[in-house]
Amino acid sequence: MSSKPLSLTEGFAPPDLEAWTKAAAKTAPDARVEALIRRTLDGIEIAPLYGAWNAGEPAGPRRGSAADATRPWDLRSKVFAGSPVEANAGALKALNDGAASILLPVEAAGLNTSDAMAQALDGVLVELATVALDGGAAAVEAANALAVVAKGSPLARLAFHLDPITTMARQGPDLFDASVQTAMRHQGAYPAAELFLASGRFVHEAGGTEAQELAVMLASGVAYGRALEGAGLSAEAALSRVTLGVSADAMMFQTLAKTRAARVLWARACAASGVDVPARIEARSSRRMLSAADPWTNLLRLTAAGFGAGAGGCDALVLDPFDVLIETPTPLAQRQARNIQLILMEEAHLGRVADPAGGSWFVESLTRDLAKAAWARFQAIEAAGGIVASLDRLAEEVAVARAARDRQLKDGEAQMIGVTVHRPVDAAAIAVAVETGRFAPVSLTAAFEGVEA
């Protein structure tokens, strides 16, 4: 006996944009449907309605179809520690409690020597769990130390994540040449190691837009690929050793589209080099979105960020604990940072579909628009001599975006749940440390719930 296929459109008239527009005009401000259009800080229009008229080429490519449906991305736990001993305890607990990999805080824990790194990784099987480094100014020393501890095992899963451009952007030492030399020193012994992290995170945390972040990510990736090629690797080998870093925030659809757009941009850059290298993306939750006065609301933000990055196709995801702004993260908060991802993967089943948002007229349109805007900014960076030569000008552009966002929040044009709206009446002001300098990180919540420390 055959059953009739379920149709969700049967009995409904085909969508009619003209009819909808006439009906919407009756309630729109000044009877102008155009008044319902919103614009992002990148100038991208967000329409009130999307339909088949927005159809275009799918914005793919997608995360590899070989990904495990139960664990579609790498659940990466950030370790919070002030010493190698604390780093070891944190790493083992994270892995025992469900994490697939760890992100080590090199400078905070003093992991810039082989002895310290060995102590931090005692009992960690580097052939099974990826060890990623957050190296900062000590990135070169930490990469060398990790290479020693891995004992030349070709199966070691290492993410050196050298990122000298971020270090220079934040006015640290120029480690570019030393980073390339370090990467070349270890690339042969560790053929699967991720050598460089090309991230626009410093732009995001300083208040930048999605397109600005993506453009810096791409320009950094191209710079690292060129440097490795110049040191002797083929273009394909060089680009395959670069990981892309994106920020995931509570604007779920923006995060989803941004993650998808990162793949589009990388594919285009690789095609320009005559190679086909799939993007590898590590997403980290936005720090600028988090609330200090009412940290429980951060659980909502982190969940939305995790969903956006996961559904958008990230390969690894790091979520902050919800109380990271106000104290050393508690065990509960660190557990929740892991469990949010476990629920998204194992209960929400985000891995059952390769591209959950594929075919959505809104998400496809936003992905294409973001990729187009970011590509134009990337071209401007390249025309100006590359990412390193463009940092001062980029800092000025990010400052303009930051001021515009601050104005939107102040005027109520943009809202943050639990901060600018529905804030607890008994929430006390929190002391907030204010950083200065080029690309200094900002807090979007500080103006509403904090006092300067």
Side-chain angles (χ1 to χ4, degrees):
M1 184 176 66
S2 62
S3 59
K4 183 179 179 181
L6 175 65
S7 173
L8 300 179
T9 59
E10 185 176 352
F12 292 91
D16 186 333
L17 178 60
E18 184 177 355
W20 180 89
T21 301
K22 289 180 180 179
K26 296 177 181 179
T27 57
D30 300 323
R32 295 175 56 255
V33 175
E34 293 79 10
L36 302 177
I37 296 174
R38 295 184 294 110
R39 287 175 175 80
T40 71
L41 292 179
D42 287 308
I44 295 173
E45 291 188 353
I46 306 297
L49 183 70
Y50 288 81
W53 49 87
N54 298 110
E57 289 296 319
R62 306 165 183 176
R63 180 168 46 212
S65 59
D68 184 345
T70 303
R71 285 289 188 101
W73 64 82
D74 180 345
L75 194 171
R76 183 162 293 169
S77 277
K78 184 172 183 178
V79 175
F80 293 85
S83 69
V85 172
E86 291 179 0
N88 181 248
L92 293 176
K93 180 168 180 55
L95 293 170
N96 287 331
D97 289 351
S101 66
I102 52 174
L103 177 64
L104 292 178
V106 170
E107 293 180 292
L111 306 182
N112 56 343
T113 67
S114 56
D115 288 343
M117 188 68 73
Q119 192 173 16
L121 294 178
D122 184 30
V124 175
L125 302 178
V126 295
E127 290 82 8
L128 297 179
T130 299
V131 176
L133 300 180
D134 189 359
V140 169
E141 293 89 345
N144 289 330
L146 180 59
V148 171
V149 172
K151 299 179 180 178
S153 171
L155 299 179
R157 302 172 65 173
L158 310 179
F160 295 120
H161 281 182
L162 296 159
D163 188 9
I165 290 172
T166 291
T167 302
M168 284 188 284
R170 291 180 171 160
Q171 297 178 306
D174 183 351
L175 301 175
F176 200 101
D177 290 343
S179 296
V180 175
Q181 293 167 8
T182 299
M184 292 302 295
R185 184 180 307 122
H186 302 305
Q187 57 85 22
Y190 300 105
E194 302 171 34
L195 300 178
F196 281 94
L197 178 66
S199 175
R201 181 175 174 81
F202 68 88
V203 167
H204 171 87
E205 296 295 1
T209 69
E210 288 78 19
Q212 287 172 339
E213 179 189 353
L214 286 171
V216 169
M217 173 208 76
L218 186 62
S220 298
V222 168
Y224 295 148
R226 285 179 181 147
L228 289 173
E229 188 177 3
L233 295 185
S234 68
E236 183 174 12
L239 294 172
S240 69
R241 309 302 285 274
V242 176
T243 297
L244 306 179
V246 300
S247 299
D249 66 19
M251 299 296 289
M252 185 178 69
F253 286 109
Q254 295 280 10
T255 295
L256 203 163
K258 180 171 66 176
T259 308
R260 297 173 85 245
R263 290 193 181 279
V264 175
L265 292 164
W266 186 249
R268 187 170 182 180
C270 289
S273 299
V275 299
D276 180 12
V277 177
R280 180 175 53 242
I281 300 174
E282 182 200 72
R284 299 187 192 181
S285 58
S286 166
R287 189 67 63 86
R288 78 184 190 190
M289 72 173 178
L290 297 181
S291 168
D294 188 24
W296 303 104
T297 60
N298 291 331
L299 288 168
L300 301 175
R301 298 184 181 90
L302 291 163
T303 300
F307 181 93
C314 71
D315 297 286
L317 176 59
V318 183
L319 293 183
D320 268 323
F322 64 81
D323 59 3
V324 69
L325 291 187
I326 57 176
E327 57 185 317
T328 300
T330 59
L332 172 63
Q334 294 186 65
R335 178 188 175 197
Q336 291 292 70
R338 292 188 296 271
N339 284 355
I340 287 172
Q341 295 198 51
L342 290 173
I343 290 171
L344 290 172
M345 291 190 287
E346 298 180 4
E347 297 185 29
H349 302 295
L350 290 191
R352 292 286 183 89
V353 181
D355 184 14
S360 162
W361 291 312
F362 169 52
V363 176
E364 294 282 16
S365 295
L366 183 56
T367 301
R368 288 192 297 267
D369 290 344
L370 264 178
K372 181 179 179 180
W375 185 262
R377 290 182 180 274
F378 163 71
Q379 288 181 310
I381 292 172
E382 290 293 283
I387 182 64
V388 174
S390 301
L391 287 174
D392 285 334
R393 179 178 58 80
L394 285 167
E396 295 173 358
E397 294 175 355
V398 168
V400 171
R402 180 175 65 244
R405 181 177 283 103
D406 288 344
R407 178 194 59 75
Q408 289 181 345
L409 289 167
K410 181 180 179 181
D411 295 347
E413 184 179 340
Q415 297 86 31
M416 296 185 71
I417 300 298
V419 178
T420 63
V421 292
H422 307 304
R423 182 185 176 192
V425 294
D426 58 347
I430 298 295
V432 177
V434 179
E435 296 188 38
T436 59
R438 189 173 69 177
F439 297 108
V442 300
S443 167
L444 300 183
T445 70
F448 305 95
E449 60 183 19
V451 292
E452 291 189 15

PDB file of all heavy atoms in Angstrom, residues 417-432:
ATOM      1  N   ILE A 417      19.430  41.366  25.237  1.00  0.00           N
ATOM      2  CA  ILE A 417      18.565  40.824  26.270  1.00  0.00           C
ATOM      3  C   ILE A 417      19.344  40.675  27.577  1.00  0.00           C
ATOM      4  O   ILE A 417      20.455  40.150  27.600  1.00  0.00           O
ATOM      5  CB  ILE A 417      17.995  39.460  25.846  1.00  0.00           C
ATOM      6  CG1 ILE A 417      17.180  39.606  24.554  1.00  0.00           C
ATOM      7  CG2 ILE A 417      17.135  38.866  26.955  1.00  0.00           C
ATOM      8  CD1 ILE A 417      15.987  40.518  24.675  1.00  0.00           C
ATOM      9  N   GLY A 418      18.766  41.157  28.669  1.00  0.00           N
ATOM     10  CA  GLY A 418      19.411  41.054  29.968  1.00  0.00           C
ATOM     11  C   GLY A 418      20.382  42.173  30.261  1.00  0.00           C
ATOM     12  O   GLY A 418      20.925  42.252  31.366  1.00  0.00           O
ATOM     13  N   VAL A 419      20.610  43.054  29.276  1.00  0.00           N
ATOM     14  CA  VAL A 419      21.541  44.161  29.474  1.00  0.00           C
ATOM     15  C   VAL A 419      20.848  45.493  29.184  1.00  0.00           C
ATOM     16  O   VAL A 419      20.711  46.339  30.064  1.00  0.00           O
ATOM     17  CB  VAL A 419      22.798  44.011  28.585  1.00  0.00           C
ATOM     18  CG1 VAL A 419      23.740  45.202  28.778  1.00  0.00           C
ATOM     19  CG2 VAL A 419      23.536  42.727  28.919  1.00  0.00           C
ATOM     20  N   THR A 420      20.425  45.678  27.950  1.00  0.00           N
ATOM     21  CA  THR A 420      19.735  46.920  27.605  1.00  0.00           C
ATOM     22  C   THR A 420      18.223  46.777  27.730  1.00  0.00           C
ATOM     23  O   THR A 420      17.514  47.779  27.786  1.00  0.00           O
ATOM     24  CB  THR A 420      20.086  47.364  26.176  1.00  0.00           C
ATOM     25  OG1 THR A 420      19.626  46.374  25.243  1.00  0.00           O
ATOM     26  CG2 THR A 420      21.579  47.542  26.011  1.00  0.00           C
ATOM     27  N   VAL A 421      17.722  45.553  27.727  1.00  0.00           N
ATOM     28  CA  VAL A 421      16.297  45.289  27.972  1.00  0.00           C
ATOM     29  C   VAL A 421      16.186  44.115  28.938  1.00  0.00           C
ATOM     30  O   VAL A 421      17.023  43.214  28.937  1.00  0.00           O
ATOM     31  CB  VAL A 421      15.526  44.976  26.664  1.00  0.00           C
ATOM     32  CG1 VAL A 421      15.440  46.203  25.788  1.00  0.00           C
ATOM     33  CG2 VAL A 421      16.164  43.816  25.909  1.00  0.00           C
ATOM     34  N   HIS A 422      15.151  44.148  29.798  1.00  0.00           N
ATOM     35  CA  HIS A 422      14.885  43.081  30.771  1.00  0.00           C
ATOM     36  C   HIS A 422      16.060  42.859  31.718  1.00  0.00           C
ATOM     37  O   HIS A 422      16.351  41.731  32.116  1.00  0.00           O
ATOM     38  CB  HIS A 422      14.547  41.767  30.064  1.00  0.00           C
ATOM     39  CG  HIS A 422      13.450  41.894  29.054  1.00  0.00           C
ATOM     40  ND1 HIS A 422      12.199  42.383  29.358  1.00  0.00           N
ATOM     41  CD2 HIS A 422      13.411  41.607  27.732  1.00  0.00           C
ATOM     42  CE1 HIS A 422      11.438  42.389  28.290  1.00  0.00           C
ATOM     43  NE2 HIS A 422      12.153  41.931  27.275  1.00  0.00           N
ATOM     44  N   ARG A 423      16.720  43.937  32.091  1.00  0.00           N
ATOM     45  CA  ARG A 423      17.828  43.806  33.031  1.00  0.00           C
ATOM     46  C   ARG A 423      17.278  43.643  34.451  1.00  0.00           C
ATOM     47  O   ARG A 423      16.318  44.316  34.833  1.00  0.00           O
ATOM     48  CB  ARG A 423      18.714  45.051  32.967  1.00  0.00           C
ATOM     49  CG  ARG A 423      19.927  44.972  33.896  1.00  0.00           C
ATOM     50  CD  ARG A 423      20.712  46.270  33.901  1.00  0.00           C
ATOM     51  NE  ARG A 423      21.810  46.210  34.852  1.00  0.00           N
ATOM     52  CZ  ARG A 423      22.526  47.258  35.247  1.00  0.00           C
ATOM     53  NH1 ARG A 423      22.239  48.444  34.751  1.00  0.00           N
ATOM     54  NH2 ARG A 423      23.509  47.115  36.112  1.00  0.00           N
ATOM     55  N   PRO A 424      17.862  42.749  35.258  1.00  0.00           N
ATOM     56  CA  PRO A 424      17.388  42.582  36.639  1.00  0.00           C
ATOM     57  C   PRO A 424      17.460  43.898  37.404  1.00  0.00           C
ATOM     58  O   PRO A 424      18.450  44.639  37.312  1.00  0.00           O
ATOM     59  CB  PRO A 424      18.361  41.550  37.221  1.00  0.00           C
ATOM     60  CG  PRO A 424      18.899  40.825  36.038  1.00  0.00           C
ATOM     61  CD  PRO A 424      18.960  41.834  34.935  1.00  0.00           C
ATOM     62  N   VAL A 425      16.420  44.202  38.167  1.00  0.00           N
ATOM     63  CA  VAL A 425      16.365  45.488  38.874  1.00  0.00           C
ATOM     64  C   VAL A 425      17.400  45.560  39.981  1.00  0.00           C
ATOM     65  O   VAL A 425      17.806  46.646  40.400  1.00  0.00           O
ATOM     66  CB  VAL A 425      14.955  45.718  39.456  1.00  0.00           C
ATOM     67  CG1 VAL A 425      13.943  45.880  38.341  1.00  0.00           C
ATOM     68  CG2 VAL A 425      14.549  44.559  40.377  1.00  0.00           C
ATOM     69  N   ASP A 426      17.857  44.401  40.491  1.00  0.00           N
ATOM     70  CA  ASP A 426      18.806  44.397  41.592  1.00  0.00           C
ATOM     71  C   ASP A 426      20.241  44.152  41.122  1.00  0.00           C
ATOM     72  O   ASP A 426      21.128  43.883  41.931  1.00  0.00           O
ATOM     73  CB  ASP A 426      18.424  43.332  42.619  1.00  0.00           C
ATOM     74  CG  ASP A 426      18.360  41.926  42.005  1.00  0.00           C
ATOM     75  OD1 ASP A 426      18.374  41.829  40.770  1.00  0.00           O
ATOM     76  OD2 ASP A 426      18.287  40.956  42.787  1.00  0.00           O
ATOM     77  N   ALA A 427      20.476  44.244  39.805  1.00  0.00           N
ATOM     78  CA  ALA A 427      21.826  43.997  39.284  1.00  0.00           C
ATOM     79  C   ALA A 427      22.768  45.097  39.730  1.00  0.00           C
ATOM     80  O   ALA A 427      22.502  46.289  39.536  1.00  0.00           O
ATOM     81  CB  ALA A 427      21.799  43.917  37.762  1.00  0.00           C
ATOM     82  N   ALA A 428      23.863  44.709  40.336  1.00  0.00           N
ATOM     83  CA  ALA A 428      24.852  45.680  40.806  1.00  0.00           C
ATOM     84  C   ALA A 428      25.866  45.975  39.713  1.00  0.00           C
ATOM     85  O   ALA A 428      26.134  45.149  38.849  1.00  0.00           O
ATOM     86  CB  ALA A 428      25.572  45.132  42.039  1.00  0.00           C
ATOM     87  N   ALA A 429      26.415  47.200  39.764  1.00  0.00           N
ATOM     88  CA  ALA A 429      27.436  47.572  38.789  1.00  0.00           C
ATOM     89  C   ALA A 429      28.683  46.727  39.005  1.00  0.00           C
ATOM     90  O   ALA A 429      29.051  46.387  40.129  1.00  0.00           O
ATOM     91  CB  ALA A 429      27.773  49.051  38.914  1.00  0.00           C
ATOM     92  N   ILE A 430      29.326  46.361  37.918  1.00  0.00           N
ATOM     93  CA  ILE A 430      30.521  45.519  37.955  1.00  0.00           C
ATOM     94  C   ILE A 430      31.719  46.348  37.514  1.00  0.00           C
ATOM     95  O   ILE A 430      31.645  47.115  36.548  1.00  0.00           O
ATOM     96  CB  ILE A 430      30.361  44.304  37.023  1.00  0.00           C
ATOM     97  CG1 ILE A 430      29.195  43.426  37.488  1.00  0.00           C
ATOM     98  CG2 ILE A 430      31.631  43.486  36.952  1.00  0.00           C
ATOM     99  CD1 ILE A 430      29.394  42.770  38.826  1.00  0.00           C
ATOM    100  N   ALA A 431      32.839  46.209  38.227  1.00  0.00           N
ATOM    101  CA  ALA A 431      34.055  46.897  37.818  1.00  0.00           C
ATOM    102  C   ALA A 431      34.551  46.303  36.512  1.00  0.00           C
ATOM    103  O   ALA A 431      34.720  45.092  36.390  1.00  0.00           O
ATOM    104  CB  ALA A 431      35.129  46.769  38.898  1.00  0.00           C
ATOM    105  N   VAL A 432      34.764  47.162  35.509  1.00  0.00           N
ATOM    106  CA  VAL A 432      35.178  46.721  34.187  1.00  0.00           C
ATOM    107  C   VAL A 432      36.528  47.343  33.851  1.00  0.00           C
ATOM    108  O   VAL A 432      36.692  48.561  33.899  1.00  0.00           O
ATOM    109  CB  VAL A 432      34.141  47.122  33.114  1.00  0.00           C
ATOM    110  CG1 VAL A 432      34.627  46.717  31.736  1.00  0.00           C
ATOM    111  CG2 VAL A 432      32.799  46.483  33.420  1.00  0.00           C
TER     112      VAL A 432
END
